[in-house]
Amino acid sequence: MAAGTALPVTALPVPLSGRFKGSFAYFTIKDRLPQILTRTIDTLHRHKNEFFEEHGEKGVEAEKRAISFLSKLRNELQTDKPVTPLEDELPDTTLWNQYLDYQRNLSNGNGEPSWFQSPWLYVECYMYRRIHAALAQNPPIDNFDVFKEGKAQNFFESQGAIIALCTYFQELLKNIKDLDEKQLQEEFFKLLQVSLWGNKCDLSFSAGEDSSQKSSPLQCLEDMVPFILVNDMEKLWLLLKNAKNRKTDECKVRVDIILDNAGFELVSDFVVADFLLSSKLADEVHFRGKSIPWYVSDTTKNDFNWTIKQLQAANHMWMSRCGINWEGNLKKGVWVYHDHMFWTLPHDFSSMAEVAPDLYADLQKSNLLLFKGDLNYRKLTGDRKWEHTVPFHQALNKFHPAPLCSLRTLKSDTQVGLKPGQAEQIQASEPEWMISGKYGVVQFDPAL
Ligand SMILES: O=P(O)(O)OC[C@H]1O[C@](O)(CO)[C@@H](O)[C@@H]1O
Ligand SMILES: [Mn+2]
């Protein structure tokens, strides 16, 4: 599928922004992002002794410098200062500063890009990149992940749910060969829903508050079905079945999972990936993670490997069985982990073909791209104030590397592809429906 040329931004709805007072973007930038920065500063304070033990005085000085970087950032944000160019020498610095120039041109003289005037997607991504710079520019704590504690806590506090899921899945594997097609499809749909609702467990949305999965993830699936606003699971099943029937020895069936949050959600994504291989619906699963700590709970390579190790070391036989099998998949090369700087740039996905042609070309080799979470949905649709009935295909704005599906719980006020009247009906009874995390979509685009 050749990359079409995205529409000019002037032909698209405006981006969500803090300039719209009272919007969720405004509330996030005014209240929730400063909260996240404050928690990040507290985390550094609480690790002062560890930095001293590990690095001596140099570690404490670096911690002080990082804290002053973050305090300055919080002040810039809260007083709507202009967005400033990055001064670090990291691999993506030039792309970030080119994007700032692009934003300057867009505002064509109506003042400098700033926290409350610029697109929400831009300034929120920029905040996380500045948090990364605050650490990266202060060796010897430059490799410290300020979000690690929260991600690990989410994993440990979701133990009950993880045990329930691993136990259920290992039982399923025992008799997967006896399942008929209908039963296999049912199991696939169950595990997709666990992965969808696992997306509720994200720390940037809860501004760092605990968001672990407490209850058993398989209990309440039936009750949650009405909260799935777009349910394209049948289309996924058909696509995978057709791909399997067309398969020859040369062309393998490959599914890519563009990951979101570590913790329970990542385990639920591993289960989907294992099911795809064990049911022979796919031959390879490629995981796409983040190159730097991102949106508090997003999965980095360290989180990916740590989670597999934790499962293996667990004193629960089905958890450790999963961990052992999944490490085996990585060793065999039927599971592959990748990261790419594009996923932690401010660009929405309609510019991937131009900004990261290597990544776009790699995604084109996949039979199906599963995009997890709300931020990915915002980047798929440009984080714009779309009419709710605009087709998903149109909102993708020519981003069609391969058939794709978003598994997203709604945590921000943008949603397309709904039926006429569907949004109005929910709005009447639940005005917070787009930001409560209670509703979700499994939204497919065939990329034809
Ligand atoms: O982890 P997810 O599902 O991408 O959600 C992260 C979400 O946090 C928020 O930025 C809220 O701060 C959402 O708008 C954002 O998309
Ligand atoms: Mn996330």
Side-chain angles (χ1 to χ4, degrees), residues 341-381:
M341 73 163 72
F342 182 81
W343 303 115
T344 50
L345 291 177
H347 305 71
D348 71 49
F349 294 160
S350 67
S351 24
M352 184 192 290
E354 183 198 337
V355 174
D358 56 324
L359 177 60
Y360 193 89
D362 192 6
L363 295 184
Q364 285 182 301
K365 296 176 193 151
S366 187
N367 295 81
L368 173 63
L369 308 172
L370 296 179
F371 284 89
K372 293 300 307 301
D374 189 72
L375 175 62
N376 275 324
Y377 192 85
R378 293 170 58 197
K379 288 191 167 185
L380 282 166
T381 58

Side-chain angles (χ1 to χ4, degrees), residues 195-348:
S195 173
L196 166 68
W197 299 123
N199 180 239
K200 286 175 187 258
C201 311
D202 109 77
L203 294 163
S204 68
F205 183 61
S206 59
E209 284 297 329
D210 169 39
S211 63
S212 53
Q213 173 78 24
K214 293 279 190 301
S215 58
S216 160
L218 288 131
Q219 290 310 318
C220 46
L221 291 184
E222 269 314 300
D223 316 346
M224 310 272 283
V225 169
F227 295 99
I228 303 178
L229 300 179
V230 177
N231 187 341
D232 289 338
M233 289 194 273
E234 287 284 345
K235 294 178 184 169
L236 291 188
W237 176 256
L238 285 176
L239 178 137
L240 289 168
K241 262 190 48 200
N242 293 340
K244 181 176 175 181
N245 297 338
R246 280 199 317 270
K247 186 171 73 175
T248 60
D249 286 351
E250 293 68 55
C251 77
K252 304 269 183 212
V253 176
R254 177 180 130 185
V255 174
D256 286 51
I257 304 180
I258 294 81
L259 297 173
D260 189 359
N261 304 309
F264 176 79
E265 181 173 359
L266 179 57
V267 178
S268 70
D269 297 337
F270 284 148
V271 168
V272 167
D274 189 338
F275 177 83
L276 288 169
L277 295 192
S278 301
S279 63
K280 304 203 183 319
L281 280 169
D283 303 294
E284 279 181 22
V285 177
H286 291 234
F287 298 92
R288 309 283 171 166
K290 302 299 194 304
S291 315
I292 62 175
W294 193 251
Y295 276 69
V296 186
S297 41
D298 282 26
T299 302
T300 63
K301 184 170 192 143
N302 287 344
D303 300 324
F304 186 91
N305 294 327
W306 180 86
T307 303
I308 299 264
K309 284 277 174 277
Q310 284 297 325
L311 289 165
Q312 280 179 355
N315 59 4
H316 187 280
M317 60 193 269
W318 299 128
M319 275 177 76
S320 55
R321 170 55 42 211
C322 282
I324 293 162
N325 291 353
W326 296 343
E327 178 156 71
N329 288 343
L330 290 162
K331 286 201 162 49
K332 281 183 283 185
V334 291
W335 279 14
V336 187
Y337 178 87
H338 311 258
D339 46 31
H340 189 291
M341 73 163 72
F342 182 81
W343 303 115
T344 50
L345 291 177
H347 305 71
D348 71 49

Side-chain angles (χ1 to χ4, degrees), residues 25-78:
Y26 177 77
F27 162 64
T28 297
I29 299 164
K30 185 170 87 56
D31 296 343
R32 295 172 53 254
L33 295 190
Q35 255 174 24
I36 289 167
L37 278 172
T38 301
R39 281 179 182 275
T40 306
I41 291 166
D42 291 351
T43 298
L44 286 175
H45 273 305
R46 278 188 286 104
H47 283 76
K48 188 197 288 271
N49 293 342
E50 185 188 307
F51 295 145
F52 181 72
E53 275 148 35
E54 243 173 275
H55 310 292
E57 261 319 302
K58 282 195 178 318
V60 173
E61 260 127 60
E63 181 242 10
K64 280 202 185 72
R65 281 197 307 276
I67 286 176
S68 69
F69 273 49
L70 294 172
S71 307
K72 180 173 173 293
L73 173 60
R74 185 174 51 187
N75 178 268
E76 287 170 29
L77 191 165
Q78 290 183 303

